[in-house]
Amino acid sequence: MPVKRKPDQSIIEALNKAQRIAFGPVLFQAVRSALATGLLSHISEAQDTEDEAARACGLTAYAVGVLVDVLIAGDVLTKAADGKLALTKTGQCLLLDEMTRVNFNFTADVCYRGMDHLTEALTEGKPAGLKELGDWETIYPAISQLPHPARESWFAFDHYYSDRYFVMLAEELRDRLNPQTLFDVGGNTGKFAAACLKAMPQTRVTLIDLPQQCATACSNSILAPFADRFSAAEVDWLKPDCFPSVGHKADVIWMSQFLDCFSPEEAVSILQRCKPLLSERGRFAVLECLVDGQKFPAAGFSLAAVSLYFTTMANGNSRFYRRNDLLSVFKNAGLDVEYCRDNVGVSHTLYILKPTAAK
């Protein structure tokens, strides 16, 4: 991603931005405390003075005072001449915007303590921060076992960026590819499988994932009405010789935010192992977030930041792909892009892939 810098940036502007980075963790924790104590919520509703807000929230005047100072400096609050406090637009986003809340809680509950081990993760190629949540080699087998509130925040983050588009994407697969059989690789809790089963009454869906995720999906009540057309197959893709045991081939192999959980070499291996599972007319449908494929700077920044979650907390060697890097994965796996659609939902790109024709 090219570095963007204003050529006319003054030293004062540069110093201001540098101090925001230097004290960024302090501001983050101040916002976290203001949310946890109800201070931001109260100010949003009442626009009280500091003393009034302190009494309403059960805090001392000192506690409110130090929070207010840093939140004003951080453009979260304003104070009028009469001492009345109010939320800025940024403060309103932190309190009321669902995307901001999901991102904030994911950072606070899943990533924050682990990020202290980022340098170790970068130098060793392992998720060195994961030990702050539990004793696992990678986060994936442990998702359903994560401690509170990390588990809830992880699923809220995952679902926010996936679930809201599942119905639309299931209908798009139906209209574009009309599969009779579909494999949902990395299907997690089975929500996309359920969307496909509902949108395509003739389609059989097999969810392929780790044993823990398959067990979670099979116990998910949303799949119960489709028991005659739903199945699950266990696999550990990190074992190079491991293949899922399935009794038929797939017209569509679906992967949603799945390849970003693996290094490029691992992703190529997985795609190559999946290719023999395609039917004669089979296609891959891959949904990914591209760090350099975003319309809005906030989206690109968010994806770049979350890549460090993969580094420190998840597996130590994956990331959200840059476009050309993902295209290289497809090419190295022997796949051609048949269709591509950017700007799916908040930040996704959809690829339809077919095996490269033999020469």
Side-chain angles (χ1 to χ4, degrees), residues 5 78 109 134 172 192 195 244 314 327:
R5 182 176 63 86
T78 61
D109 301 331
E172 181 168 351
F192 184 73
L327 292 175

Side-chain angles (χ1 to χ4, degrees), residues 177-191:
L177 299 173
N178 190 29
Q180 300 301 300
T181 53
L182 182 146
F183 293 168
D184 182 4
V185 177
N188 209 336
T189 60
K191 289 191 174 184

Side-chain angles (χ1 to χ4, degrees), residues 9-44:
Q9 184 182 46
S10 72
I11 186 61
I12 298 300
E13 291 174 318
L15 283 169
N16 281 337
K17 291 179 179 179
Q19 304 327 299
R20 286 185 176 274
I21 294 172
F23 290 102
V26 177
L27 177 59
F28 181 90
Q29 291 291 8
V31 172
R32 193 176 182 184
S33 294
L35 289 166
T37 58
L39 180 63
L40 283 191
S41 179
H42 177 77
I43 291 172
S44 175

Side-chain angles (χ1 to χ4, degrees), residues 96-147:
L96 303 173
D97 178 65
E98 183 183 6
M99 178 180 70
T100 304
R101 183 173 65 253
V102 165
N103 289 345
F104 190 95
N105 290 340
F106 180 77
T107 300
D109 301 331
V110 178
C111 302
Y112 198 90
R113 288 184 297 158
M115 282 296 159
D116 194 43
H117 305 278
L118 175 58
T119 301
E120 181 185 352
L122 290 167
T123 55
E124 296 187 0
K126 296 180 179 179
L130 184 56
K131 56 179 168 276
E132 296 289 349
L133 298 178
D135 185 19
W136 305 289
E137 289 188 11
T138 70
I139 202 170
Y140 304 113
I143 289 168
S144 61
Q145 307 166 46
L146 292 175

Side-chain angles (χ1 to χ4, degrees), residues 7 36 85 96 115 153 170 212 312 338 344 346:
L85 300 170
L96 303 173
M115 282 296 159
S153 294
Q212 298 90 332
T312 310
E338 186 174 69
V344 178
V346 174

Side-chain angles (χ1 to χ4, degrees), residues 277-352:
L277 305 180
L278 286 173
S279 69
E280 188 172 332
R281 69 181 184 95
R283 297 290 187 270
F284 285 91
V286 174
L287 188 72
E288 281 294 342
C289 299
L290 302 176
V291 72
D292 58 351
Q294 303 304 312
K295 290 189 298 183
F296 302 107
F301 174 77
S302 298
L303 293 177
V306 176
S307 285
L308 294 180
Y309 147 79
F310 290 114
T311 305
T312 310
M313 307 301 298
N315 54 41
N317 65 357
S318 76
R319 55 169 296 164
F320 282 123
Y321 283 95
R322 299 168 182 165
R323 188 183 298 274
N324 286 340
D325 292 339
L326 185 59
L327 292 175
S328 293
V329 167
F330 297 155
K331 181 179 179 180
N332 292 336
L335 297 169
D336 293 335
V337 176
E338 186 174 69
Y339 170 80
C340 174
R341 180 160 74 91
D342 288 323
N343 305 320
V344 178
V346 174
S347 55
H348 294 78
T349 294
L350 174 65
Y351 288 99
I352 305 297

